[in-house]
Amino acid sequence: MTTPSRVAIVTGGSGGIGRPVVERLAADGLAVVVAYSGSEERAQEAVTAVTEAGGTATAVRGDLGDEADVARLFDEAEAAYGGVDVVVNTAGIMLLSPIASFDVDDFDRMVRTNLRGTFLVSRETVRRVRDGGALLNFSSSVVKLALPEYSAYAATKGGVDALTLVLARELRGRDVTVNTVAPGPTATPLFLDGKPQDVVDRLAAAPPLERLGTPDDVTELVAFLAGPGRWVNGQVLYVNGGIA
């Protein structure tokens, strides 16, 4: 089989949004590196789904908060496929609590994954991505919705927004786009975990379209920004059905 000409790294590639992103980019003809930190079984399931559909994928484990692990992720992508063209940062954790009772260790853990991890992957992307490439970071619509108990999570994602907007301007002349995708309520395990049904129903009714988003709603935008969307740059794009 001919090696695909374009290569993507998807962090959190075995997760609720990450895996659909992996499968969609592979279906579009990219070789995909599934970056994961947790379950090897889930990561291999994502790789198997791609290869059984005729695509190309491999899995690499590492801690995105660790500089050496992030460098090794890119090393392995380059060794396997010759370079990196698209990086999609879907990895993230969400811990909720009012500020007054928020555990500082939980805060630090979320900052390490959501903000430090995005920073390190973005920095390595800048150093390695080929011209014509794209970096897509993931934020959240809760940054502007200001929902109670989401303060720490929203703070980490607000940092991602700022990093993305500045980085797009720092890459002037490189022909590399940098954008943030900011989903609203989306029916993934991360979103649904621990929420009472009445809360889920209320959030589903909030957008004018009166439903939760699906991972496929998000992957459509990712595929566009990773491929033909070359004139979209330095933006935070809200994928939330019009909730705000």
Side-chain angles (χ1 to χ4, degrees):
M1 182 172 57
T2 303
T3 302
S5 60
R6 300 185 76 228
V7 180
I9 293 174
V10 180
T11 72
S14 61
I17 289 180
R19 177 164 171 177
V21 167
V22 164
E23 295 185 25
R24 175 56 190 271
L25 294 180
D28 286 348
L30 284 77
V32 183
V33 177
V34 179
Y36 72 102
S37 62
S39 169
E40 181 179 1
E41 180 180 1
R42 289 176 57 202
Q44 291 302 327
E45 287 173 356
V47 170
T48 298
V50 167
T51 56
E52 288 183 347
T56 303
T58 189
V60 176
R61 185 171 191 166
D63 174 7
L64 297 182
D66 182 272
E67 291 182 77
D69 277 11
V70 171
R72 180 174 55 81
L73 168 63
F74 281 76
D75 288 343
E76 295 198 22
E78 291 174 344
Y81 303 120
V84 176
D85 302 281
V86 175
V87 177
V88 186
N89 266 315
T90 76
I93 58 175
M94 181 169 62
L95 306 172
L96 305 180
S97 175
I99 291 177
S101 57
F102 206 98
D103 184 271
V104 71
D105 290 336
D106 286 344
F107 178 80
D108 289 344
R109 183 158 64 96
M110 198 156 48
V111 168
R112 179 179 177 84
T113 298
N114 297 357
L115 186 53
R116 178 185 168 94
T118 297
F119 170 80
L120 291 176
V121 172
S122 296
R123 188 179 68 172
E124 204 66 27
T125 300
V126 170
R127 295 171 174 177
R128 310 247 200 156
V129 70
R130 294 186 285 211
D131 288 350
L135 170 62
L136 284 70
N137 290 324
F138 263 67
S139 180
S140 172
S141 292
V142 301
V143 173
K144 64 175 183 176
L145 292 175
L147 300 176
E149 300 191 358
Y150 282 80
S151 57
Y153 177 73
T156 66
K157 293 303 188 178
V160 170
D161 290 351
L163 185 157
T164 299
L165 298 179
V166 172
L167 184 54
R169 287 147 181 82
E170 290 182 348
L171 288 178
R172 174 180 292 275
R174 281 283 306 278
D175 190 26
V176 173
T177 61
V178 185
N179 292 290
T180 286
V181 177
T186 305
T188 66
L190 177 67
F191 171 78
L192 295 171
D193 184 41
K195 288 186 174 65
Q197 188 59 46
D198 65 310
V199 173
V200 173
D201 292 343
R202 176 170 52 81
L203 291 170
L209 297 178
E210 295 189 334
R211 66 173 177 86
L212 294 177
T214 69
D216 286 345
D217 292 325
V218 180
T219 60
E220 287 296 320
L221 178 59
V222 170
F224 175 72
L225 295 173
R230 301 303 303 165
W231 197 234
V232 182
N233 188 33
Q235 304 298 316
V236 178
L237 295 107
Y238 294 95
V239 192
N240 59 26
I243 194 171

